[in-house]
Amino acid sequence: MSARCQLTGAEPRFGKTVSHSHRRSSRRFDPNVQRKRYWLPSEGRHVRLALSTKGIRTVDAIGIEAAVARIRARGGKV
């Protein structure tokens, strides 16, 4: 599973790990992506989404119907 949120579009960022001696090495900051299943009443089925924790809170705030509409508007498949 790629570390990408279907709703917010959050994806890995890249940076450096800095040791105590200040030597730097490359690292990757992955978003906290969870697979979550929601009931979609308009279609009478469950949908499984890969969402970051911010995306899960967004679904809680705006509702699953509006969230699926946003995902589809971005060109995502649900």
Side-chain angles (χ1 to χ4, degrees):
M1 177 175 72
S2 67
R4 184 176 173 89
C5 176
Q6 288 180 280
L7 182 60
T8 63
E11 57 189 6
R13 306 277 183 218
F14 297 90
K16 301 285 186 184
T17 297
V18 182
S19 71
H20 178 70
S21 64
H22 216 64
R23 291 175 63 108
R24 296 169 184 216
S25 56
S26 294
R27 64 159 293 180
R28 176 175 154 144
F29 296 91
D30 285 327
N32 186 5
V33 175
Q34 310 289 323
R35 300 229 348 127
K36 193 148 169 66
R37 193 173 87 143
Y38 290 98
W39 174 252
L40 193 57
S42 64
E43 297 181 15
R45 67 184 182 105
H46 285 97
V47 292
R48 191 176 300 273
L49 302 174
L51 300 172
S52 62
T53 50
K54 181 179 178 181
I56 292 171
R57 290 195 305 269
T58 302
V59 170
D60 291 344
I62 67 173
I64 186 63
E65 298 288 344
V68 167
R70 281 190 192 180
I71 292 170
R72 288 181 174 150
R74 293 182 75 225
K77 185 179 174 194
V78 178

